[in-house]
């Protein structure tokens, strides 16, 4: 059986890592094209421009704010023939745009996240939206980013909710990868994952449990600590490798189902994934001790444990059945679970997770 594991070319993380960006980019050539989201363009670029230009020439363009085909085409036309490496700095949409532009131009890409809110930076994937911000399609890329660079001081200066959301996304990694391992299910490459991928997914979970609370406290104080560094790495690298090379299962499918309800749209990806993870524990009949361990963690770091905490305090059973049905759509990753998967079993799992979350809050 062929097993496949994929990685970014190089991962760099630490305080003031942005000062090393020029030196890292120099490995790819002498000319860079930098796509910076509006916050980065105004607040961060002025502080790193001198050190960047000491190493490499760079054209820096402000990102429009939407990862659309139109924006990708606009930036591709500007950069074509003028650069040897593409750089994206900012949130997920700026990074996805940089990946897509680099793919169009067939040149290396470096991504520089300014928050640690999801595991997407390391992945060979861009999510494409319409110019109005509606989901359009996934763009699966032939390779992962050549460089992922995170400055932990920048992450520490961002609101702690972003870091906590990243922990919610990462929380699913081990449970989904383990389900795929047991089922011999395919990962994002179309082949089963490796021992390495499953082991890194397990390390991701263990790191969150051990250091999550301390990392949140550090981020709230805007200081960089060893615990914060470990959780940034778990959120970004370990979870990225774990989901892409280990595989997805129920948690992310239930997240996708939750998005059919407009009330959830103002909540972060990782916050909804956390609810999907809790539901998956009941769906797959996990040991009560494991369930309590996960609820303890969510309550400690501030992840939602009830539907009310993702805008669904007044949700009806009819609405939840729509969520469950969408979670079970053909091709969804929930079918990687080795239990009966029907809208009814998923509906019951979501209700059970919500009920237990409410019960624990009353204790």
């Amino acid at each position: 059986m062929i097993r496949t594991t994929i990685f970014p070319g190089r991962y760099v993380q630490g305080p003031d890592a942005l000062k090393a960006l020029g030196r890292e980019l120099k490995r790819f050539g002498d000319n860079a094209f930098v796509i910076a989201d509006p916050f980065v363009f105004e607040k961060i670029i002025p502080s790193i421009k001198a050190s960047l230009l000491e190493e490499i020439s760079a054209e820096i363009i402000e990102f429009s704010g939407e990862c659309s085909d139109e924006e990708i085409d606009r930036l591709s036309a500007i950069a074509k023939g003028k650069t040897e490496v593409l750089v994206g700095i900012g949130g997920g949409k700026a990074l996805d745009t940089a990946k897509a532009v680099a793919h169009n131009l067939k040149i290396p890409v470096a991504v520089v996240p300014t928050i640690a809110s999801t595991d997407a930076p390391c992945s060979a994937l861009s999510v494409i939206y319409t110019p109005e911000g509606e989901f359009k399609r996934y763009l699966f890329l032939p390779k992962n980013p050549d460089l992922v660079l995170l400055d932990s001081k920048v992450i520490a200066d961002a609101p702690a909710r972003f870091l906590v959301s990243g922990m919610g996304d990462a929380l699913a990694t081990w449970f989904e990868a383990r389900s795929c391992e047991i089922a011999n299910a395919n990962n994002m490459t179309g082949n089963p994952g490796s021992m390495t991928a499953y082991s890194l997914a397990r390390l991701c979970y263990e790191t969150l449990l051990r250091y999550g609370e301390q990392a949140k406290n550090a981020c709230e104080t805007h200081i960089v600590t060893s615990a914060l560094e470990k959780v940034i790495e778990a959120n970004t690298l370990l979870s990225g490798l774990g989901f892409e090379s280990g595989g997805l299962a129920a948690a992310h499918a239930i997240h996708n189902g939750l998005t059919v309800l407009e009330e959830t749209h103002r909540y972060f990806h990782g916050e909804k994934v956390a609810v999907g993870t809790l539901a998956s524990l009941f769906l797959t009949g996990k040991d009560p001790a494991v369930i309590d361990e996960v609820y303890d963690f969510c309550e400690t770091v501030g992840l939602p444990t009830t539907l009310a905490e993702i805008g669904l305090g007044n949700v009806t059973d009819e609405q939840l059945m729509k969520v469950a049905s969408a979670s079970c759509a053909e091709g969804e990753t929930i079918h990687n679970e080795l239990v009966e998967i029907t809208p009814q079993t998923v509906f019951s799992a979501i209700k059970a997770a919500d009920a237990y979350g409410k019960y624990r809050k009353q204790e």
Side-chain angles (χ1 to χ4, degrees):
M1 177 177 293
I2 296 173
R3 296 182 178 273
T4 305
T5 308
I6 56 178
F7 304 86
R10 182 177 291 203
Y11 182 88
V12 178
Q13 177 189 312
D16 296 317
L18 273 169
K19 293 179 180 178
L21 179 59
R23 185 172 67 249
E24 290 291 339
L25 295 177
K26 186 76 172 175
R27 296 184 297 111
F28 304 112
D30 296 318
N31 301 287
F33 186 88
V34 180
I35 299 168
D37 73 21
F39 174 82
V40 170
F41 193 82
E42 179 183 353
K43 301 292 186 182
I44 295 178
I45 291 296
S47 66
I48 67 167
K49 194 170 184 179
S51 64
L52 179 63
L53 296 179
E54 282 180 4
E55 300 286 346
I56 192 170
S57 65
E59 182 174 358
I60 303 170
I61 299 290
E62 185 174 0
F63 172 55
S64 74
E66 202 54 71
C67 182
S68 64
D69 284 315
E70 291 80 358
E71 178 70 352
I72 292 165
D73 290 344
R74 179 183 79 89
L75 294 170
S76 296
I78 297 171
K80 187 175 182 180
K82 295 165 55 178
T83 184
E84 296 167 278
V85 58
L86 241 297
V87 186
I89 309 179
K93 290 187 176 183
L95 306 184
D96 279 1
T97 301
K99 292 183 200 177
V101 173
H103 171 61
N104 280 355
L105 302 182
K106 296 179 172 53
I107 58 175
V109 64
V111 299
V112 184
T114 51
I115 52 177
S117 62
T118 75
D119 52 21
C122 294
S123 71
L125 174 71
S126 290
V127 184
I128 311 298
Y129 298 84
T130 67
E132 294 73 34
E134 297 177 9
F135 171 77
K136 186 176 182 181
R137 63 190 172 91
Y138 291 111
L139 173 63
F140 292 95
L141 302 165
K143 67 182 181 68
N144 299 70
D146 299 274
L147 169 67
V148 179
L149 184 146
L150 290 94
D151 189 318
S152 46
K153 282 187 177 180
V154 173
I155 305 297
D157 282 339
R161 184 183 172 192
F162 288 116
L163 183 80
V164 173
S165 175
M167 287 192 254
D169 200 16
L171 180 63
T173 304
W174 163 242
F175 294 105
E176 294 189 293
R178 179 58 178 155
S179 290
C180 290
E181 182 181 18
I182 293 170
N184 222 18
N186 292 341
N187 62 22
M188 304 301 285
T189 74
N191 292 322
S194 65
M195 175 183 68
T196 298
Y198 303 133
S199 298
L200 292 176
R202 178 69 190 183
L203 178 60
C204 178
Y205 180 65
E206 293 170 350
T207 302
L208 295 178
L209 293 188
R210 186 167 300 158
Y211 298 105
E213 183 177 14
Q214 290 181 25
K216 180 192 177 184
N217 292 339
C219 197
E220 288 176 333
T221 316
H222 304 302
I223 56 172
V224 177
T225 64
S226 175
L228 180 61
E229 294 280 18
K230 288 179 171 62
V231 168
I232 292 171
E233 185 176 339
N235 285 5
T236 310
L237 182 62
L238 293 178
S239 185
L241 297 174
F243 102 80
E244 195 168 33
S245 293
L248 298 176
H252 275 81
I254 294 171
H255 160 276
N256 295 344
L258 288 166
T259 64
V260 305
L261 302 182
E262 188 175 348
E263 296 90 335
T264 68
H265 291 182
R266 68 181 186 273
Y267 295 90
F268 291 168
H269 172 82
E271 293 168 341
K272 288 175 280 191
V273 171
V275 172
T277 300
L278 296 175
S280 77
L281 301 179
F282 289 90
L283 179 69
T284 56
K286 293 292 187 290
D287 187 277
V290 173
I291 293 175
D292 282 331
E293 181 178 71
V294 178
Y295 273 87
D296 284 343
F297 172 76
C298 289
E299 291 163 355
T300 297
V301 300
L303 284 166
T305 59
T306 66
L307 292 173
E309 291 171 288
I310 56 167
L312 299 179
N314 297 314
V315 69
T316 66
D317 284 355
E318 183 181 9
Q319 287 176 306
L320 281 185
M321 187 56 77
K322 289 180 181 178
V323 170
S325 296
S327 303
C328 299
E330 184 178 354
E332 262 295 359
T333 57
I334 199 168
H335 300 292
N336 289 335
E337 302 286 359
L338 282 179
V339 295
E340 182 185 15
I341 300 298
T342 67
Q344 184 59 51
T345 61
V346 176
F347 169 85
S348 298
I350 295 171
K351 292 276 283 188
D354 180 54
Y356 195 51
K358 290 176 180 176
Y359 168 76
R360 288 174 59 99
K361 290 181 184 299
Q362 295 169 357
E363 285 186 311

